[in-house]
Amino acid sequence: MATISIHRALTLIAKSNETLAEAIARGVFVSSVQGYAVRRPTDASFKTEAELLTRIQSDTDKVESLLNLIAKLKTAIAAKNLETKVQFDGREVSITELLAIKSTLSQRKQYLTSVRQQAQRANTQAERAAQEIQRQVSVIQNPSDAVAMQKQLEQLNGVEVITGGKASAAETIARLQEQNEFLINELDYTLSEINLSTSIDIDEDLR
């Protein structure tokens, strides 16, 4: 067995993926021969059937070996990530949970954008309603009548911006923004530090 850091394993996976893509693109896995007596490769770059079969076997072995390497490295990393605990945002979490949180960053950004857009629309509706109430009240000469009318119109047509909790829309947006900025800034740093300091055991021939 050999011990390597998760950072090293991730580097090996990245390189193996590149090599695998090239091996699949350039490899010969199926071909054909012509003639039943003297079997000649239809691909003129091969002189004999034996040479062609050797190439097919070599390319097939290479691809399957790389697939096996990537799977074993990812399995070892996943197992280690599940058992490795770190302090993050005031609580103990596994690396698996951190990766799960990181996978939601795109959706978190979309969520924040949607909340902002809806808050802007709701605020615009509230402002327009208030302006319309003021317009109707402004034509009333008697101040006491104007006050009474304004209260009545506000009861009927006033628009209030609401959220799902006690926090205002602005407070909700600020909380989501702060949360996203924290995750964006801290997640990669924490994962990078852990990947450098945490090791996995792999078969010697996988290095």
Side-chain angles (χ1 to χ4, degrees), residues 67-138:
L67 288 170
N68 182 56
L69 169 63
I70 293 168
K72 286 187 174 182
L73 288 173
K74 287 187 174 182
T75 299
I77 291 172
K80 179 62 70 171
N81 284 343
L82 189 60
E83 69 181 44
T84 302
K85 308 290 184 180
V86 295
Q87 290 294 321
F88 185 80
D89 197 18
R91 62 190 182 96
E92 185 178 74
V93 298
S94 68
I95 301 304
T96 298
E97 185 174 351
L98 286 185
L99 291 170
I101 294 171
K102 182 177 180 179
S103 72
T104 67
L105 281 178
S106 176
Q107 289 89 345
R108 288 173 184 271
K109 292 177 182 177
Q110 291 173 358
Y111 175 39
L112 175 58
T113 298
S114 181
V115 171
R116 277 180 171 155
Q117 291 173 343
Q118 291 180 19
Q120 185 176 13
R121 287 196 295 268
N123 284 325
T124 299
Q125 290 170 340
E127 290 170 4
R128 287 176 178 172
Q131 290 170 359
E132 177 59 22
I133 290 171
Q134 287 300 318
R135 185 190 68 78
Q136 294 181 46
V137 171
S138 65

Side-chain angles (χ1 to χ4, degrees), residues 15 53 82 111 146 201:
K15 290 183 178 179
L53 288 172
L82 189 60
Y111 175 39
D201 295 324

Side-chain angles (χ1 to χ4, degrees), residues 28 31 40-49 51-52 55:
V28 178
S31 190
R40 305 178 305 278
T42 53
D43 185 339
S45 59
F46 298 96
K47 296 180 181 179
T48 65
E49 181 184 12
E51 182 184 355
L52 174 59
R55 172 64 183 275

